Each structure stands twice: as structure tokens, then as C-alpha cells.
Amino acid sequence: MTQHVSPPRGSADKVPSVSESSAWRGMFARADVRTLSLLGVLAVLVLIGGITKPDEFLDTRNLQLVLTQASVIGVVTVGMTFVITSGGIDLSVGAIVALASVWATTVATQEYGFAGILFTAVIVGVGCGLVNGLLIAYGAMVPFIATLAMLASARGLALQITDGSTQVVTVNSVLDLGERDAYVLGIPPLVLVFAVVTIIGWLVLNRTTFGRRTVAVGGNAEAARLAGIDVRRQRLYLYLLSGLCCGIAAFLLIILSGSGQNTNGNLYELDAIAAAIIGGTLLSGGRGTITGSVLGVLIFTTITNIFALNNLQSDVQQIAKGAIIVAAVLVQRRTASTT
Amino acid sequence: MAPEPPLLSMSGITKSFPGVRALDGVDLDVQAGEVHCLLGQNGAGKSTLIKVLAGAHQPDTGRLRWRGEEVALRSPIAAMRLGIATIYQELDLVEHLSVAENVHLGHEPTTAGFVVRGKAARQSTAALLRRLGHPEIDPARLVGELPAAQQQIVSMARALSHDVRLIVMDEPSAALDPDEVDNLFRIVGDLTAEGVAVVYISHRLEEIRRIGDRVTVLKDGRAVAVGLPAKSTPTREVVALMTGRNVEYVFPERPTAPAQGEEPLLEVQGLTRQGEFEPLDLVIHPGEIVGLAGLVGSGRSEILETVYGARKPTAGHVSVNGRPLKPGSVRAAVRAGIGLAPEERKAQALLMLESVTRNVSVSSMSRFSRAGWIDRRAELGAARAATRELSLRPDNPSVPIRTLSGGNQQKAVLARWLLRGCRVLLLDEPTRGVDVGARAELYAVVRRLADEGLAVLLVSSEVPEVLGLADRVLVLREGRVVHRAPARELDEHRVLDLVMEGSPAT
């Protein structure tokens, strides 16, 4: 029903006003500053890698490796970005990846071949997300607690299934995806999946009603409710989405490692949250950026790679990651207060 | 002239928040040993003023003198050191700590600087509680286990545990029974006898008569009356100051032929919420504006939110166009064509990080989307059309909503429902935080929407606003309709009498 909205009138309508275009540019520029500064950090890291290990770091195989490693955690981070944008948190992503990867690689599942493994990984991920979502949206549980419980249970179940052993994948069609022969124009299939998930995630967050509702729920849940949005259903969908991303990530991890282990996905929740936060997604909700999250993932993966090439231990890596998180948040707070 | 300077004197205090000027040059002076009452409607600036006094907000401009010396209250600790204690309306106690721990929070008696002497704390707390007439409260109990009235006493004991010269009490009687209020007044009397000054905030005029010495009335961030004698100023004058007759209202003309005979658009039958309001019957035809007049706590907002489905009724139902709505469902109400402009615009209506466009389109996204995919050009065009229809400024829906003034933010909320094609508009304090010039414009917008066939239900604590804008008025007192009449047949004094005295409906 549109009877109350008359068409724009007056001659001023034809020409967009000056203030409008500059306001657009202003909003665009602000988003750009954030993206550019993340790109700058990434460029500095590449420079450091190139200087310290010129032959090894810039080698094509190494760059392919970095991107492949980024793919698994990257897919998880896309889902996490949606959840955090809605004002929630999902601590169970690493455990869901573990559970999905072992369930999809049991002897029984592997009998169904490629489709069986992919289907099981995705269904287990979505199933865990459904439990999270129902507890949070309709059980009125705090996301932190509900997903913490899922973290514990899913890891426990993963251990029970494997009994601590590594489940080697014998389905060749799955393993082949990790081989160099499967690369498309030099790009590993895993990286292609990551790219597709990223693009879809960006479009959903920025161009669809689903994305708008996510932002509205995170920005002001009460206002969203009074505006007629079904806040609870939206929350349910968001945890389903995060679970789906975990299922896809588990499949990628199976390809990458050729096995399923109950220790898979260890501390993914921290990496994904950290990547989203340094990317510019507000932990309090209401603003999220897929581009930022992906850059955050690339920054972390590149650091890990450079440190490994320089034979630095993982303890030093962890310290560096912590420092970057603090620095990124401090910088963002400053830009937020000046705008 | 008093021979001594006042204990506290504030002059020209201003404080702005994005979009709202909360304090616009307030003066206040408080003498030692007096009870100085602060009156004003919600949103008049009382909370902001006492937060400035408590050191929780820093004023933008203005001067503050304490016993004649200019001071700056840079933090709550600085205010406390001077001897200013504040008892907030929402009690700021830690539920999981004991009474004694709460009373001494931040200044625990210690040995060697850090070992808390629990027994000493309990003993001094017990002494304070005796002084407050509540020796039965056990200092070792957890605050969360106490009833609200006793928590209030604990809060007061905490204030007195400091060397206090000025106590600010924000609606201390709101949670108390009558005999507890008597005890509160006795305490206030004891304090002032010792030379302590009390700044007392309340909506209840009879309380101010009983204990107040002087009254300062706030309205729209300004002190419209400073230091009136509390006992001798006529009630009517005080209320008139609060509800703001000093402001020139410009109301649009009512249609000459009132909407009659047509099918009712909104029907409310026996709608009840236990403890909030009694069964309510109400019919609004297309083109009609019905106003609910009443003081804070009369059930006005609760009625509106229950009609909207944001609160679930204990009994009764709401129908739009003769079709009953599912009770307690906002989505059912929105689907049936009801829109709400809520009382707390920022907390309940706006997405402050987003643009005007997105705030306007949030309730009608399906109109600009196919399979969930948003056509942003169509969205921007529709948002622009809707905001232009309401002359929203700036004429650019892409700007962030937080940069808009209060009046324009309210227009954005109205544009949201306009775009949705809503038929019934519920307005809760539509001009709160809206400056005088923009009000007339909002009134005109609301009247025009009614003329176009909407049914409007209006709630306002400003009596002239209800009388000027509405066609028919329901006067509420304590959740009950005490009078119904066409707005033309009422005047402000009559409504104020009804609101305060509650003479039964004629």
C-alpha cells in the first residue's frame, strides 16, 4: 500500500544535491580508510616476508599454501562475522569443525564416497548450528553460554567417535582435490571455495534483507522487534549459517589433511573472532564487514607463514597476534570517535 | 541576600547530546539545610542535571560553585569528595554483595591498606541503619535478597557513609509504601536538621508540599521557575509550569466535519494488563486523532504498547478493520497496519549506526526486494519520497540518522510507517526532545496523515499538546479512564484537575 507516498515533486528532484554525493563519498571514504589500512598492514607483512626470506616467501607454492591455509579458517570467519554483527558470538565453531570432520570420515560414511563425506560434514555443521540457534533464540540462553556448552559437547562427541585416532581418508575423489592437478589456473580448489563463500557472504550481508535484518538485530534488537522484524527467527538462522560455514570448513580441512581428527579446528573460535574484530566488525553488533574479516584472516595466516619460514616458534606468533588485535582495536576506536 | 553563599550554585549549565540539547542554561542554587525539589516531566532534563551534580556528566558550559568557590566535578569521585551523594532511581547496588559491602563499596575500612575489616564494616553499617530507622536489616545479608524498599534504605546508608553535605534523591518514594514514605520523610527531616541539603526529585506534588522548602521546575532543559516556595505555590501553577504553557503551541485546524458513521478502523475491547491498566474500550475511526492524557505512571505508554502487541494483555483484544489481532504479537499488529513511534526514540526505534534510508525502510524491506535481494535504488527512491513528504531535513536520506535533530529523527520514524502503508499510528510522546519550532511542523504532519485516512492514538504528558492535536481525549489516572470528552469541551485546567484529583467520569 503506497497511497501515502506521493511521487517526488519539484524540480530539485532531478539533480542529486551536492551534499548527497559528498555524504556518500564520506561514508564510502570511511569504509575505505579501514580497508586500506588493513591492506597496508598486509602489504607491510608481505614486504617483511619478501625481505627476510625472498626466495621462499614469494615462491608460488608458498603463496598457494598461505591461501589454502587461510581458506579453512576464512570460511569459518565469514559465518562468525554474521553472528557477531547480530550482537552474538559463536564459541563452538572449532569444535563443530572437529565433529563434522570426524563424522564425515568414519569408515561407514566413507563408503558413500565423495557425496557422503560432503553431505555429512555439512549436515553435522548445520545440525550443531540448529541446536545453538534454538537454545539462543527460543531458549533465551546467552550466546556465550549456549555455544560454550556446544564447544564442550561437540569436542567430546568427536573424541568418542574417533577414540583419539586419526581417520585416514581413502576416497580418492576427495583427496584429488588437494592435489596440484586439481588447481584451476594455479588456484587450489580450496581457495576457490573460500572465494565463493566470501563473495556470497558479502552479497548476503550488504545486498539482501537477511543482511539488513542481521545488522538491525545487532544494532538495536528492541528497535528491530518494534519495527516488525522477527528477531528470534533471525537469530536462529544466523547460528544455522555459522554451523553451515563450519561444515564447509570441515570438508575443506578433510581435503587439506586427508584425514579427520578430533583435535581439528583447535582454537578456531579465537582466530575467527580475532579476524572479524581486527577487520572492523563491532563486537557489540550493528556493524559488520566481510571484506575486513577476510583481510584479517589473510593477515593472521601471513604472519604464521612468515614466522614459520623464519623458524620462529609458535609462542612468538601468539604474542604477535595478541599485539595486533590490541593495536587494531585501539586504532578503530580512534577512527570511530573522530567520525 | 543570605549572609552566607549558597551551599551549591549552578549557573548557565548546558549539556548537549547528539541530536538533543538536554540542558539549555539551567540555574540552580541550594542552601544548606533545605529540601530543594526538582520538578519536571520525563525528558525535561532532571536526570542530566543530577548526573552533572554527581560528576557523571561534564557540562558543556556553565559554572558550578560549592560554598562560594568555583569547582569542576570531573568524576563521581570528585563529587563524593566534596560531600555530594546521589541516590539514583535505578538503584546502583551490587546484588551479590552484602549490605555492609555495598555500603562501604570503594571506601572499605581496612587494615594495612588492603585487608578489609569486615566486622568494622558491619558495625558501622548497623549504626547507619539504626540511624535510618531500619535496625532490622542485617548488614551481612546479600542485597539481592532484600525487598526494593530496604534496598532503598541501603542506598541511603551508603550515601550517609560518606561525610555528606548534599544528598540528591531521584524519585526515592517511587518504590515505597505509604508508611515507608513517612519514614523516608523523617530521615530527610533529620538530615536537614543537621544542616545537610537535600535535592529531592519526585512527580508527586503532595510529597513536595509536605517536605519541600523550595521548588525549581525544569522544562525542555530550561529552568522555567527557580526557587518557588514549595508550600505556598498553587498546585495548578506548578503543574502548568511543568507541562509548559509558556510555550506557544501552533496546532493545525481540525476538519470541520468530524469523521463519523464510517466503520471504525481501530477497536480496543476490554484490553487489560494486570497491575498496569484496567479494562479499556476504545474506538478510532479513519481520520480521527484520539489523545490519552495522564501523568507519568498513569498507564499511558503501557496501553499503547499493549495495543501494539509489544506487551501481552491479560484480557481483551484489539481489532483493525474489524479483524481481531493475535494478542501480544508485534508482527501481527504491523501486518494489520499498525505503526508505533515509541517513547524512547533512540532505545526503541532507531538504528543509530545506520543511514536515514535504512531506518525508514526497515519495516518494509520486502517491498524493495525480490527473493531477499534488495533493490537499493528503489529503496532510496521510496525513502526519499517518504522523507520529503514529511519535509525531513536534511533532504538527503543517505546521511547517518544520528546526525539528525530530535524532530527530524521523529519524522524518520513516521516515514518508516508511512512507507509501510500503515493505517493506525500510535504516537508515544511524539515531541519529546523536539524543539519548539519543529513541534508545530510535527503537529501539522500528524493532522495531515489523519486527514488522509489514518487513525491516530496519541499519548503525551503535555496537556496542551493532547488538547490541541486530538479530536477526542481520554483522561487517565492510575491505569483507569476517568473522563472521556471531545477535546473542544475540555480545557487544560479541567484536565489537570482530573489527572490529579481523579474525580470520577461524568
Side-chain angles (χ1 to χ4, degrees):
Chain A
M1 286 196 285
T2 59
Q3 74 263 34
H4 300 303
V5 182
S6 60
R9 36 183 180 216
S11 57
D13 302 327
K14 305 229 166 63
V15 192
S17 62
V18 178
S19 67
E20 178 161 337
S21 59
S22 69
W24 262 114
R25 219 171 289 144
M27 286 181 107
F28 190 67
R30 210 180 321 139
D32 251 7
V33 167
R34 198 175 290 125
T35 312
L36 282 175
S37 62
L38 289 169
L39 281 172
V41 171
L42 197 56
V44 169
L45 286 173
V46 170
L47 209 62
I48 293 173
I51 290 168
T52 53
K53 293 281 165 182
D55 300 331
E56 295 157 53
F57 181 75
L58 293 174
D59 179 59
T60 314
R61 280 170 188 258
N62 186 53
L63 294 180
Q64 285 167 339
L65 175 71
V66 170
L67 287 175
T68 307
Q69 286 170 339
S71 298
V72 181
I73 186 69
V75 170
V76 172
T77 304
V78 169
M80 182 70 85
T81 304
F82 274 87
V83 170
I84 295 180
T85 303
S86 77
I89 196 86
D90 189 348
L91 299 180
S92 62
V93 290
I96 296 177
V97 168
L99 180 60
S101 76
V102 302
W103 206 320
T105 53
T106 57
V107 177
T109 313
Q110 291 201 39
E111 278 177 20
Y112 294 92
F114 185 99
I117 293 175
L118 175 60
F119 181 77
T120 307
V122 168
I123 285 299
V124 170
V126 170
C128 293
L130 178 69
V131 174
N132 278 337
L134 288 174
L135 289 176
I136 292 162
Y138 296 96
M141 271 178 91
V142 180
F144 191 99
I145 303 295
T147 60
L148 188 65
M150 176 58 74
L151 183 162
S153 312
R155 279 243 177 256
L157 190 54
L159 177 61
Q160 203 172 50
I161 290 172
T162 60
D163 204 11
S165 64
T166 301
Q167 301 178 156
V168 177
V169 175
T170 53
V171 179
N172 286 329
S173 54
V174 171
L175 296 173
D176 287 347
L177 284 175
E179 299 298 324
R180 303 199 66 79
D181 294 345
Y183 287 14
V184 182
L185 302 170
I187 303 169
L190 268 63
V191 178
L192 289 177
V193 172
F194 177 32
V196 169
V197 168
T198 300
I199 291 167
I200 293 175
W202 190 92
L203 289 173
V204 169
L205 186 60
N206 294 293
R207 291 285 184 271
T208 67
T209 54
F210 183 89
R212 287 292 177 77
R213 290 196 199 106
T214 304
V215 173
V217 168
N220 188 341
E222 175 68 359
R225 185 177 79 98
L226 292 180
I229 290 174
D230 192 335
V231 173
R232 287 194 291 190
R233 194 166 66 195
Q234 185 66 20
R235 289 210 168 113
L236 171 65
Y237 288 164
L238 284 161
Y239 290 91
L240 276 179
L241 175 71
S242 179
L244 171 66
C245 287
C246 292
I248 296 171
F251 185 68
L252 300 186
L253 196 56
I254 291 167
I255 296 171
L256 191 62
S257 63
S259 66
Q261 279 175 274
N262 65 291
T263 52
N264 274 346
N266 192 32
L267 294 184
Y268 272 20
E269 55 279 0
L270 294 188
D271 285 346
I273 293 168
I277 298 306
I278 74 162
T281 297
L282 282 183
L283 193 54
S284 52
R287 190 166 68 208
T289 153
I290 298 289
T291 321
S293 293
V294 168
L295 287 172
V297 167
L298 291 177
I299 287 171
F300 277 158
T301 321
T302 308
I303 292 175
T304 308
N305 182 255
I306 292 170
F307 278 57
L309 290 178
N310 285 289
N311 293 320
L312 289 166
Q313 297 304 311
S314 63
D315 50 358
V316 189
Q317 285 179 36
Q318 299 292 347
I319 295 169
K321 279 188 189 177
I324 286 180
I325 295 170
V326 171
V329 172
L330 286 178
V331 167
Q332 276 169 20
R333 188 174 309 157
R334 179 167 300 176
T335 48
S337 63
T338 52
T339 48
Chain B
M1 278 295 287
E4 272 184 62
L7 179 67
L8 169 84
S9 101
M10 301 170 98
S11 58
I13 302 286
T14 66
K15 176 77 187 171
S16 293
F17 298 105
V20 179
R21 184 147 229 205
L23 294 178
D24 194 8
V26 171
D27 300 337
L28 176 72
D29 72 284
V30 182
Q31 303 285 349
E34 77 163 336
V35 178
H36 196 117
C37 300
L38 209 51
L39 271 171
Q41 296 278 6
N42 281 352
K46 290 173 307 193
S47 308
T48 313
L49 185 65
I50 63 172
K51 281 189 178 148
V52 167
L53 248 180
H57 282 334
Q58 304 305 311
D60 298 335
T61 60
R63 299 165 77 178
L64 216 146
R65 287 170 185 278
W66 179 254
R67 305 165 97 179
E69 278 175 44
E70 187 150 347
V71 290
L73 302 174
R74 294 196 195 289
S75 68
I77 295 169
M80 230 171 270
R81 287 217 180 100
L82 286 180
I84 301 174
T86 306
I87 302 169
Y88 290 105
Q89 197 177 351
E90 291 94 24
L91 296 176
D92 49 350
L93 299 172
V94 186
E95 290 192 1
H96 299 288
L97 291 182
S98 74
V99 171
E101 283 162 338
N102 266 287
V103 166
H104 290 281
L105 200 63
H107 62 116
E108 296 84 355
T110 54
T111 305
F114 62 94
V115 182
V116 176
R117 285 158 55 213
K119 196 174 174 193
R122 283 194 295 280
Q123 279 168 352
S124 71
T125 302
L128 284 168
L129 292 170
R130 270 198 302 280
R131 182 174 159 200
L132 291 172
H134 280 267
E136 81 282 5
I137 302 175
D138 178 0
R141 271 187 79 183
L142 293 185
V143 159
E145 297 171 353
L146 299 177
Q150 295 195 347
Q151 293 190 7
Q152 183 105 46
I153 300 296
V154 174
S155 206
M156 214 167 293
R158 182 204 276 185
L160 293 179
S161 70
H162 300 271
D163 183 17
V164 64
R165 301 187 163 277
L166 174 70
I167 297 190
V168 181
M169 299 184 182
D170 189 2
E171 302 220 26
S173 60
L176 301 181
D177 293 335
D179 53 330
E180 290 164 341
V181 172
D182 289 342
N183 183 48
L184 173 74
F185 287 176
R186 189 186 56 71
I187 296 165
V188 169
D190 290 352
L191 287 170
T192 49
E194 293 169 22
V196 175
V198 176
V199 172
Y200 190 95
I201 294 160
S202 175
H203 285 297
R204 301 181 183 172
L205 290 170
E206 69 272 15
E207 292 181 357
I208 286 161
R209 290 255 180 272
R210 275 180 61 190
I211 60 160
D213 294 308
R214 293 191 300 155
V215 176
T216 290
V217 182
L218 288 185
K219 162 101 176 97
D220 295 329
R222 291 196 191 86
V224 290
V226 179
L228 296 176
K231 300 211 163 53
S232 57
T233 310
T235 302
R236 190 167 276 173
E237 190 183 324
V238 174
V239 177
L241 282 165
M242 276 167 67
T243 52
R245 254 195 316 178
N246 58 328
V247 178
E248 284 302 316
Y249 289 90
V250 182
F251 292 102
E253 280 188 32
R254 295 190 178 87
T256 42
Q260 282 300 329
E262 280 183 76
E263 291 297 306
L265 192 47
L266 178 77
E267 273 180 285
V268 175
Q269 285 168 327
L271 199 69
T272 316
R273 249 180 83 86
Q274 197 97 51
E276 288 182 358
F277 57 91
E278 293 175 18
L280 172 80
D281 295 303
L282 174 67
V283 170
I284 310 183
H285 294 87
E288 259 190 324
I289 304 176
V290 173
L292 296 178
L295 292 178
V296 172
S298 61
R300 326 170 291 198
S301 298
E302 289 79 3
I303 288 174
L304 230 55
E305 291 184 11
T306 310
V307 170
Y308 191 58
R311 293 170 188 244
K312 196 164 184 150
T314 354
H317 57 89
V318 177
S319 320
V320 174
N321 266 338
R323 260 189 234 141
L325 303 182
K326 183 180 161 195
S329 165
V330 170
R331 287 171 58 73
V334 170
R335 232 176 282 134
I338 304 184
L340 169 74
E343 185 176 14
E344 302 289 340
R345 211 156 34 234
K346 274 181 197 152
Q348 299 181 286
L350 299 178
L351 305 167
M352 291 305 277
L353 292 171
E354 299 278 338
S355 66
V356 174
T357 302
R358 292 189 177 195
N359 272 282
V360 170
S361 69
V362 66
S363 292
S364 16
M365 279 189 286
S366 56
R367 278 189 44 199
F368 318 106
S369 56
R370 188 169 294 173
W373 190 265
I374 293 174
D375 179 348
R376 291 188 304 154
R377 189 183 292 259
E379 181 192 24
L380 182 65
R384 180 176 291 141
T387 52
R388 262 192 199 154
E389 178 90 13
L390 302 179
S391 315
L392 188 141
R393 293 282 171 275
D395 181 21
N396 173 10
S398 301
V399 299
I401 192 120
R402 66 188 148 77
T403 61
L404 265 54
S405 68
N408 282 302
Q409 287 181 348
Q410 185 65 280
K411 284 185 185 174
V413 176
L414 295 184
R416 172 187 295 173
W417 297 118
L418 208 60
L419 189 56
R420 166 90 203 178
C422 112
R423 313 277 322 278
V424 179
L425 203 50
L426 310 176
L427 304 176
D428 197 349
E429 299 282 356
T431 57
R432 162 140 342 141
V434 175
D435 63 51
V436 179
R439 285 177 183 213
E441 215 182 325
L442 264 179
Y443 297 144
V445 164
V446 172
R447 174 52 73 186
R448 185 156 53 83
L449 293 176
D451 288 345
E452 287 170 18
L454 266 69
V456 179
L457 183 55
L458 165 78
V459 159
S460 175
S461 37
E462 309 204 11
V463 175
E465 183 167 293
V466 177
L467 293 179
L469 192 55
D471 300 304
R472 285 188 290 129
V473 175
L474 276 64
V475 182
L476 290 167
R477 181 182 158 92
E478 286 166 6
R480 202 159 47 86
V481 176
V482 293
H483 193 71
R484 295 170 187 254
R488 286 174 221 272
E489 294 172 14
L490 289 167
D491 63 25
E492 193 182 344
H493 288 184
R494 174 101 177 93
V495 173
L496 288 176
D497 285 344
L498 286 164
V499 155
M500 286 180 304
E501 314 303 337
S503 39
T506 47

